[in-house]
Amino acid sequence: MHIAILGTRGIPNFYGGFEQFAQYLAKGLILNGYQVTVYNSSAHPYQLPDWEGVNIIHCNDPENKWGTVGQFIYDLNCIRDARKRKFSIILQLGYTSNSIWGWLLPRKNTVITTNMDGLEWKRSKYSKPVQLFLKWAEKLSTIFSDHWISDSIGIQEYLMKKYALKSIYIPYGTETFETPDSRILTEYKVTAFQYNMLIARLESENNIEMILNGVVLAKDKKTFLVIGNHNTPFGEYLKSKFSHWPSIRFCGGIYNIDVLNNLRYYSNLYFHGHSVGGTNPSLLEAMGSQAMICAHDNIFNKAILAEDAFYFSKSEDVVIHLKSNNRLTLPSAIANNLRKAKELYSWDNIVSQYIKHFREIKR
């Protein structure tokens, strides 16, 4: 069985969630004896024709020259190339810029399965016209595929309600972190379990402003680390708004996973404000690094965390948690989340579920 993975900038991961997913899945499939091809952007830093046994096809990607339009051209180039080859299965990751080309996907002897990603059209960073386009793109993705995958129970329920579309639930994966090193804390001038934090893209739907408003309302003097690229219009707005509160520290983007795991592990409360999308990779990473999680109250987060977290839906809730709770308040939560990360969300388990799905759809 020859499986192709489309819809990412490529592997090894230099970009984000879907690229990380493609890297782990492709490697896992290779270890299980499958032939795997991943499509890479021509701008990807890795330019060799294979990676750890995975065949790499580089397709022209003009995004650097043409902006967003370039993403659509890149996806078109990937699909045009896939038409020339004999793949058993094509796994598409997302639909934002590729579903308009769905009618071009190869059909003869090839099965198409699509990971539907999150509710992209809900993201407030997009203008109304873009949100309308994304709704249309989502609908197209329900037409030009043979099978569908949801990485969240919430997404699975939404697809059934909206389109009467049956999708298989396979979550995202993560690794666990059990070898902390407190020396990393010195660089960030924090003391173990005496600071709070969040890690997120600085976008409004991640409720960062709500969380930081709560920090100010609580008059909390503990250091609060905000990790994420802040050199954006919204990031500049947040820095300006909270510049008067010295305990809030904008650290910028940190991409060293060992540093991130240690900061999460040694934090008092880890705030997760994501409210749009399916299984968020950073949430699973927080579970795997034994953080005490305080999450935005929505179906996506609750489907993963259940009773093993604190929840907030407004700044006043954040105030209550900062004043009343710490990582010792809910003693079972950290152990339960670590167990879930090991048993339910391990990459070995996720790869096995994809293999089962592939066998079922390509008999």
Side-chain angles (χ1 to χ4, degrees):
M1 191 182 294
H2 191 171
I3 299 161
I5 301 176
L6 281 71
T8 80
R9 291 182 173 91
I11 63 172
N13 175 32
F14 284 89
Y15 298 99
F18 262 154
E19 285 74 21
Q20 178 171 287
F21 170 77
Q23 175 177 311
Y24 277 101
L25 178 61
K27 189 173 180 179
L29 291 172
I30 290 292
L31 292 174
N32 280 275
Y34 290 85
Q35 187 177 356
V36 182
T37 292
V38 174
Y39 280 82
N40 275 31
S41 162
S42 58
H44 196 285
Y46 188 84
Q47 289 291 312
L48 297 180
D50 60 82
W51 176 81
E52 307 229 355
V54 180
N55 181 45
I56 303 293
I57 296 176
H58 291 86
C59 285
N60 181 45
D61 178 2
E63 183 180 358
N64 289 340
K65 294 179 180 178
W66 296 358
T68 302
V69 173
Q71 297 176 19
F72 292 84
I73 302 304
Y74 167 60
D75 283 333
L76 172 61
N77 289 336
C78 292
I79 290 174
R80 289 177 64 190
D81 183 88
R83 289 170 61 87
K84 304 173 186 176
R85 305 178 190 272
K86 296 180 180 180
F87 296 124
S88 308
I89 293 173
I90 289 178
L91 170 62
Q92 293 193 118
L93 300 181
Y95 59 80
T96 302
S97 54
N98 61 24
S99 63
I100 64 168
W101 312 117
W103 57 282
L104 287 171
L105 285 164
R107 295 290 172 180
K108 188 177 180 180
N109 300 320
T110 300
V111 178
I112 313 298
T113 187
T114 302
N115 184 313
M116 291 295 288
D117 200 6
L119 306 180
E120 294 300 301
W121 53 268
K122 275 195 170 185
R123 297 190 185 278
S124 55
K125 68 178 180 179
Y126 295 128
S127 65
K128 289 296 181 183
V130 172
Q131 288 177 335
L132 288 172
F133 167 78
L134 290 172
K135 279 189 175 183
W136 179 61
E138 178 187 88
K139 185 175 182 179
L140 288 179
S141 67
T142 69
I143 298 171
F144 297 123
S145 190
D146 301 309
H147 302 273
W148 298 268
I149 301 164
S150 298
D151 71 3
S152 163
I153 295 296
I155 296 297
Q156 187 182 44
E157 291 175 351
Y158 164 78
L159 293 174
M160 176 56 73
K161 183 177 180 180
K162 176 78 173 179
Y163 302 104
L165 189 74
K166 292 183 179 180
S167 63
I168 182 173
Y169 167 59
I170 308 178
Y172 199 83
T174 192
E175 294 181 319
T176 57
F177 174 74
E178 300 177 74
T179 55
D181 183 354
S182 62
R183 291 176 296 179
I184 287 174
L185 303 182
T186 304
E187 180 182 348
Y188 294 89
K189 300 178 181 178
V190 290
T191 303
F193 311 122
Q194 298 302 310
Y195 64 94
N196 303 307
M197 66 178 294
L198 65 81
I199 301 173
R201 289 178 179 155
L202 302 196
E203 297 173 352
S204 58
E205 64 263 17
N206 291 336
N207 293 295
I208 298 164
E209 187 174 10
M210 178 190 295
I211 296 168
L212 299 183
N213 280 336
V215 173
V216 174
L217 288 171
K219 297 182 170 58
D220 190 48
K221 297 299 175 64
K222 282 189 178 74
T223 297
F224 195 106
L225 303 180
V226 180
I227 298 174
N229 177 24
H230 51 69
N231 297 316
T232 63
F234 191 65
E236 294 296 336
Y237 162 75
L238 291 174
K239 285 189 292 183
S240 175
K241 177 173 180 175
F242 297 104
S243 61
H244 68 289
W245 202 255
S247 65
I248 297 176
R249 195 186 305 167
F250 290 86
C251 302
I254 298 174
Y255 303 102
N256 183 314
I257 191 64
D258 190 53
V259 171
L260 293 174
N261 281 334
N262 275 289
L263 288 175
R264 282 186 284 239
Y265 179 90
Y266 285 109
S267 65
N268 175 51
L269 295 178
Y270 175 89
F271 285 84
H272 182 79
H274 296 64
S275 60
V276 176
T279 304
N280 186 268
S282 65
L283 177 58
L284 297 183
E285 288 171 359
M287 295 166 64
S289 58
Q290 303 182 65
M292 183 63 243
I293 300 168
C294 186
H296 184 264
D297 190 347
N298 62 67
I299 187 174
F300 306 111
N301 294 335
K302 280 198 162 181
I304 302 297
L305 295 165
E307 302 302 318
D308 299 313
F310 302 121
Y311 291 98
F312 67 92
S313 57
K314 54 186 184 295
S315 295
E316 289 75 13
D317 297 334
V318 175
V319 173
I320 292 171
H321 294 310
L322 289 172
K323 288 186 173 183
S324 307
N325 298 314
N326 58 47
R327 67 180 286 115
L328 301 178
T329 309
L330 199 58
S332 62
I334 293 173
N336 286 345
N337 284 331
L338 180 62
R339 175 185 53 79
K340 284 184 277 190
K342 287 180 176 179
E343 296 177 3
L344 300 179
Y345 305 112
S346 72
W347 281 114
D348 285 344
N349 186 27
I350 302 311
V351 170
S352 294
Q353 290 184 60
Y354 268 88
I355 288 173
K356 181 183 177 183
H357 174 59
F358 293 152
R359 287 175 176 170
E360 288 175 348
I361 65 177
K362 190 67 175 178
R363 293 178 186 269

